[in-house]
Amino acid sequence: MSDQGKGSASTSAAAPTPGSDTYKGWLFKWTNYLKGYQRRWFVLSNGLLSYYRTQAEMAHTCRGTINLATAHIDTEDACNIVLSSGGRTYHLKASTEVERQRWVTALELAKAKAIRMMNDQSDDSGDEEPASQSDRSEIQGTLKTLVSKLDDLSTCNDLIAKHGAALQRSLSELEGLRVPVEGGEKIKAVNERATLFRITSNAMINACRDFLDLAETHSRRWQRALQYEREQRTHLEETIEQLAKQHNSLERAWREAPTLAASAPTAPAANKEGSERPLKGEASDEDEDTEYFDAMEDSPAFITVTATENTQHRRSQSNLSGASGGHSNDWNQDDHVSPSYNDVSGKELQPRRQRRTHIPDKPNYSLNLWSIMKNCIGKELSKIPMPVNFNEPLSMLQRLTEDLEYHELLDKAARCDSSMEQMCLVAAFSISSYSTTVHRTAKPFNPLLGETYELDRVEEFGYRSLCEQVSHHPPAAAHHVISQRGWTLWQEITIASKFRGKYLSIMPLGAIHLQFHSSGNYYVWRKVTSTVHNIIVGKLWIDQSGDIEIVNHRSKETCQLKFSPYSYFSREVPRKVTGVVADSAGQAHYILSGTWDDKIESAKIVQSSRGGSGSEGKQKTVYQTLSPKLLWKKYPLPENAENMYYFSALALTLNESEDGVGQTDSRLRPDQRLMEAGRWDEANAEKQRLEEKQRAVRRRRDAEATDALDEECDYDSGEEYEGYQPLWFHQRRNSVTGETNFVYKGGYWEAKERQDWSMCPEIF
């Protein structure tokens, strides 16, 4: 215990006056009969009185705290203060009566504030809406602050009246004194009372000054807010006027539409939607409403403006042979049926095997914090076993395979003659991989080193997929897919994460490669950052944000995609994605828009022009486009998905038992299988066994590597410290990107055909 002695215990000169929000100083605190009163540093803030041995301890160690809202304040003699709350009592002593009275005044003010705050919270608890109107909340907070300051003034007024009465009594007693010695003591008491009166008066003056400063500050803010609202109202009136003009223009265009449609040639492939669009011929330019879009680099928001009559005639005369003539009929016809093409592939090829459509419901296990903490005692952070309560019954390799949920987009892209149209479909495929994450807040199982996962859908959809965990520190997985319908996809993904307090950022590192067999078009892109919010408190939710650049290395065409982060104050659609497809010269040809959890549309650009200045002073590019075409729409979730971890139809089949898979396949992982069956306690025990087994294997591998170095064997000097080489993938340098990554070296499907898994390690 720090023994500072019982010398002078004056309050720090820098301590605020009792009327301020924080008060600090030295007091003597009774400890026990052996040591008596000991000098301690006390801090009064936000209705709480805390104490420390020294001022330096404020940064790390609080010795005790008492809540003044429920505390009783009493004064025993000239210098003592007694605080009691519940079963806790502090016996405190100041160096002088003046010092004692300063603390009493500060404590009474703080207690009054704490009681008011507690009452306000109880009154407002049933009325508040969850962060719905920030302006109203700010005004209410300001009014509460002003009311609090008024209450401070009232409390100070009562204290002044109290001390004034005491001072008056002392003066009356002084008048009736006869003995000189007694007179000296009374004069001393009068001086102390006068000092107390001055301190309390100063506190009231400071409270008045704070009240006036706060009122002046918020008065200026309210004036600015009022001016802003006036400007917004003027802007809104102008916008409504513009919309009224556009509405009139739209009505005129609609009245003239039958005449234009009657003069247009009828398409030979007369609409599959003929009953819905009776007077329209082929998807010619003159039959569609023109739309204008802001350029991506200037603004993520798209502004649609209806074309005028002159614009329609100009397009019908010049663009039919140009922009529209460049459109293949196949592309237009595909777009007409795009709302249902996701279902077409399933109808064309009926699965030969009936896949499962449900799994056991997720059990309602409450998470016992002690069951986690008791396993953490004496262990390193990296070795703490996390329970399966935080997981879903799929591994990271299976989650990686879920990128193929909308593989038919690539099948359709392989049939495209135009590389621009193909780029639009590739972009839609890259966005569709995030649609399964919107409700999936549980983490997948971390794969063991050497763990694999295959997905053979050749008979149903024409592709085969293989994943392998190729590294454990850092964790990295390699993925290879080959399709009989004209494309190959491969990727190596390493997950980097950063905990930011309230949220967790997950950053996938590594590129995704896609090549089409017939055209040779080679696409490369990277994933965006995923953010899991409300890690500590509240309901978990996931957001995607960042930019994706898709590059066709054969034609140098690009697609710039922007995933807009969610903001409560933004007027944009949540989970919005926008994009521009451009040729090798940077000329934009298509606009993409939609959301990553619902659908993506594309619109062909027929003309671009420079518009007005944007909010940052830049001149905007306005794109004139055809009507948007649906590229991709998310499948609805299966029935009862909320009780099945929000799995999609594909995800429900990923852990289904398969005959003939390798002995390292994720389907055979026992802890994951037990969790899916709802036996979580057994799954936790099995998970801990597997993790300890993996650590033991790594320790043995490290020891073998050290022995090899000591014996000066022919050991590769450090490229793989563990000496581990993946079974089905090897590192190669990519001739296009120049990066070195893991690619499939072959042999897996041949081994499966032979049912020879003798080369596979025993990892489970």
Side-chain angles (χ1 to χ4, degrees), residues 410-453:
L410 300 183
D411 297 341
K412 185 177 179 182
R415 301 192 299 267
C416 283
D417 296 329
S418 168
S419 60
M420 286 291 180
E421 297 165 0
Q422 190 178 76
M423 175 69 85
C424 292
L425 290 166
V426 171
F429 174 78
S430 69
I431 297 168
S432 70
S433 63
Y434 297 100
S435 64
T436 61
T437 66
V438 63
H439 298 297
R440 303 271 289 278
T441 55
K443 68 180 289 290
F445 280 79
N446 292 328
L448 303 174
L449 186 62
E451 185 175 335
T452 60
Y453 180 74

Side-chain angles (χ1 to χ4, degrees), residues 583-734:
D583 58 21
S584 57
Q587 180 67 35
H589 288 260
Y590 284 92
I591 291 291
L592 304 179
S593 62
T595 58
W596 54 263
D597 67 325
D598 184 23
K599 65 179 180 180
I600 292 295
E601 296 176 333
S602 70
K604 183 175 177 59
I605 299 171
V606 294
Q607 188 177 354
S608 63
S609 60
R610 306 303 293 182
S613 298
S615 58
E616 299 179 358
K618 298 180 181 179
Q619 192 177 17
K620 291 186 177 182
T621 301
V622 178
Y623 293 131
Q624 180 183 345
T625 73
L626 305 180
S627 294
K629 309 293 184 181
L630 184 66
L631 292 177
W632 160 78
K633 185 170 180 60
K634 181 186 176 183
Y635 296 139
L637 288 175
E639 186 179 357
N640 195 37
E642 64 277 5
N643 295 320
M644 298 187 296
Y645 308 91
Y646 286 99
F647 281 178
S648 64
L650 174 63
L652 289 173
T653 67
L654 292 180
N655 209 39
E656 188 176 8
S657 298
E658 295 269 358
D659 296 331
V661 299
Q663 63 188 38
T664 56
D665 196 272
S666 298
R667 297 178 180 89
L668 306 178
R669 181 165 173 166
D671 54 349
Q672 186 174 304
R673 182 65 62 186
L674 288 168
M675 182 191 178
E676 183 183 272
R679 299 154 61 184
W680 283 17
D681 292 335
E682 298 174 60
N684 279 321
E686 191 65 26
K687 182 173 182 286
Q688 191 169 355
R689 181 190 69 81
L690 289 175
E691 291 173 349
E692 188 55 42
K693 179 180 180 180
Q694 181 172 235
R695 295 188 191 103
V697 171
R698 174 167 180 158
R699 287 194 295 268
R700 184 171 65 250
R701 190 180 295 119
D702 290 346
E704 291 173 357
T706 303
D707 293 342
L709 286 174
D710 293 341
E711 296 171 4
E712 297 182 353
C713 293
D714 185 14
Y715 177 73
D716 194 2
S717 59
E719 287 188 8
E720 282 285 345
Y721 174 73
E722 299 178 51
Y724 175 80
Q725 295 297 327
L727 197 56
W728 310 111
F729 290 80
H730 56 183
Q731 281 189 316
R732 290 293 183 269
R733 184 179 180 276
N734 189 291

Side-chain angles (χ1 to χ4, degrees), residues 202-387:
N202 289 337
M204 183 173 183
I205 292 171
N206 290 335
C208 292
R209 186 181 297 112
D210 291 342
F211 179 84
L212 292 176
D213 291 342
L214 186 63
E216 289 178 359
T217 301
H218 284 280
S219 175
R220 290 192 295 269
R221 292 183 59 185
W222 288 333
Q223 288 177 358
R224 290 196 298 268
L226 181 60
Q227 181 63 27
Y228 173 79
E229 292 298 329
R230 288 173 178 169
E231 294 174 356
Q232 289 295 101
R233 179 180 177 180
T234 303
H235 177 69
L236 182 60
E237 290 174 350
E238 294 173 354
T239 304
I240 292 175
E241 183 180 356
Q242 183 180 3
L243 289 174
K245 294 179 180 178
Q246 294 174 6
H247 180 72
N248 293 334
S249 175
L250 181 62
E251 287 182 343
R252 289 196 301 271
W254 179 79
R255 294 190 190 100
E256 297 169 0
T259 306
L260 293 174
S263 61
T266 303
N271 291 323
K272 300 176 183 178
E273 303 173 353
S275 60
E276 299 177 10
R277 303 165 71 178
L279 294 177
K280 292 192 178 182
E282 66 177 357
S284 62
D285 290 348
E286 66 181 59
D287 293 335
E288 298 176 18
D289 294 334
T290 303
E291 300 185 7
Y292 295 87
F293 294 97
D294 284 349
M296 267 291 296
E297 63 272 17
D298 294 332
S299 173
F302 290 157
I303 302 175
T304 305
V305 181
T306 306
T308 62
E309 180 181 355
N310 294 335
T311 305
Q312 289 185 341
H313 283 295
R314 183 178 70 251
R315 287 171 51 204
S316 62
Q317 294 171 3
S318 61
N319 292 339
L320 278 174
S321 59
S324 182
H327 259 241
S328 65
N329 290 332
D330 292 339
W331 172 258
N332 287 333
Q333 292 168 4
D334 286 346
D335 284 337
H336 276 299
V337 298
S338 59
S340 59
Y341 81 84
N342 284 341
D343 301 323
V344 171
S345 60
K347 295 176 182 177
E348 291 175 351
L349 291 176
Q350 293 295 335
R352 298 185 181 181
R353 172 180 172 178
Q354 186 67 30
R355 303 287 177 181
R356 69 180 184 180
T357 58
H358 68 276
I359 59 175
D361 286 358
K362 178 181 178 181
N364 187 19
Y365 280 132
S366 60
L367 184 61
N368 186 355
L369 185 60
W370 172 243
S371 66
I372 304 174
M373 298 302 296
K374 68 180 182 181
N375 296 324
C376 304
I377 300 174
K379 293 188 177 182
E380 297 179 12
L381 183 62
S382 61
K383 297 182 180 180
I384 294 174
M386 297 302 294

Side-chain angles (χ1 to χ4, degrees), residues 49 64 134 457 487 492 562 592 692 701:
L49 180 66
S134 59
R457 294 290 192 268
W487 53 271
E492 177 193 340
K562 180 178 180 60
L592 304 179
E692 188 55 42
R701 190 180 295 119

